[in-house]
Every structure is written in structure tokens, then in C-alpha cells.
């Protein structure tokens, strides 16, 4: 099988045209242009460039509009935009489930876990989100709420966001074991 990147226009010429110096020189001159065009055609594949992270903010914004992403903000960093675009079809497939909320929170805010009302003893139809990201502060609370509202089911309501913090604590323990006899007189 011949790779199109390695084809020379000269090799495609019939033998009688290869002996003509003018035609063979023109064919060899076209080789670099054909290879450049082949590379540009390969670059047209948006998803290939998306996987490599080689798209611009404007391209990401346009593709988000085309994919009908429910939560998308043009002020997001490009890396987060790329992750949202890569997961666009999955978000539409699992929309309305706790997994959709968890995936979106993971992309935008780091780690997060959704707990349904029956898992923590809340009111029916409510859920809470537990995250350990200290960036989910009062300033970003509105953004966090908008993101959750965009992918949750309409009958579920966010009751609260629980910010948990894990700290490393050094605990030292010691034991004493004494062996001896006890004599009573």
C-alpha cells in the first residue's frame, strides 16, 4: 500500500513523459506543493487537531455552538474547552444523570461527587455535591450552580455544596508491654 505522503508526481508519470526533461522537472517541482497540500488536508480533521490540543479559542467557541453544549463559557481556559468538546456527545447521552454532573464538575472544578437525597438523608428530589476543591468559593458559586443546572434533570434540585478538605496529619503512637510476675502475700 502506498502512503499518499510519500508519492512523487514524477513516479506517477508514464515512462515516455519521464524522459522529457521539461515534464520531469515540472513534476519534481510539484512534489513539495503536493506534500504541503496533503498535510493541509490532514490538518482539516478537527477532531485530530482537537485531540492534539492544536485548536484556537475561536475554533473551540464555534464548535461548542455547533455541538449545542449546555454549559460553555467563552472565558474558560482552552484546556477546559477542549475537554468539554471531547465529552460533548457523552454529555448529551448521559444528561440528567449524576454521572453527567460529576463529569462536568471534574472538568471545570476538579474532583466532585454527587449524592442523591436517599444517600445522605435529605428531602426527596434533592441532591448535594461534595467537592474538595477550595477554588469553589463564594465568588465561583454562581458559575458552579450554572454548570450543575445545565446538566441535571429538571426534577432534581441542588440542595447544597459540601466543601470537604483533606489534611495530612502525622499521628504517632506508642505501646509499652511489660512482662513480669505479680506475687501476693
Amino acid at each position: 500500500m502506498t502512503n499518499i505522503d510519500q508519492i512523487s508526481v514524477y513516479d506517477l508519470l508514464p515512462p515516455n513523459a519521464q524522459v522529457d526533461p521539461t515534464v520531469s522537472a515540472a513534476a519534481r517541482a510539484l512534489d513539495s506543493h503536493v506534500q504541503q497540500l496533503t498535510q493541509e488536508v490532514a490538518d482539516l480533521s478537527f477532531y485530530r487537531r482537537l485531540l492534539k490540543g492544536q485548536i484556537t479559542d475561536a475554533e473551540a467557541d464555534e464548535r461548542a455552538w455547533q455541538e449545542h453544549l449546555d454549559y460553555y463559557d467563552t472565558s474558560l481556559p482552552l484546556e477546559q474547552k477542549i475537554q468539554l468538546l471531547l465529552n460533548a456527545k457523552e454529555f448529551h447521552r448521559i444528561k440528567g444523570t449524576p454521572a453527567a454532573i460529576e463529569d462536568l464538575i471534574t472538568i471545570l472544578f476538579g474532583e466532585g461527587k454527587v449524592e442523591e437525597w436517599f444517600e445522605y438523608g435529605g428531602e426527596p428530589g434533592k441532591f448535594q455535591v461534595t467537592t474538595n476543591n477550595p477554588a469553589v468559593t463564594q465568588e465561583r458559586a454562581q458559575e458552579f450552580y450554572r454548570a450543575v443546572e445545565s446538566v441535571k434533570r429538571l426534577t432534581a434540585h441542588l440542595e447544597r455544596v459540601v466543601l470537604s478538605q483533606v489534611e495530612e496529619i502525622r499521628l504517632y503512637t506508642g505501646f509499652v508491654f511489660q512482662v513480669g510476675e505479680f506475687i501476693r502475700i
Side-chain angles (χ1 to χ4, degrees), residues 26-41:
R28 292 193 191 276
L30 287 174
D31 282 342
S32 63
H33 296 291
V34 169
Q35 288 175 355
Q36 180 183 358
L37 280 172
T38 304
Q39 183 60 41
E40 288 176 5
V41 168

Side-chain angles (χ1 to χ4, degrees), residues 99-163:
I101 299 170
E102 287 177 359
D103 289 349
L104 184 63
I105 289 171
T106 301
I107 291 172
L108 297 176
F109 300 100
E111 190 176 332
K113 174 143 178 42
V114 174
E115 294 176 333
E116 296 280 350
W117 64 273
F118 52 85
E119 295 175 320
Y120 68 92
E123 295 180 31
K126 303 220 174 182
F127 67 95
Q128 71 180 12
V129 177
T130 304
T131 182
N132 62 0
N133 186 353
V136 182
T137 59
Q138 197 66 23
E139 295 83 32
R140 293 193 68 194
Q142 191 63 28
E143 180 184 355
F144 189 85
Y145 181 74
R146 274 190 332 112
V148 170
E149 285 291 312
S150 70
V151 293
K152 72 171 187 65
R153 66 182 183 276
L154 293 177
T155 59
H157 303 286
L158 177 62
E159 186 171 6
R160 65 179 166 241
V161 177
V162 178
L163 183 62

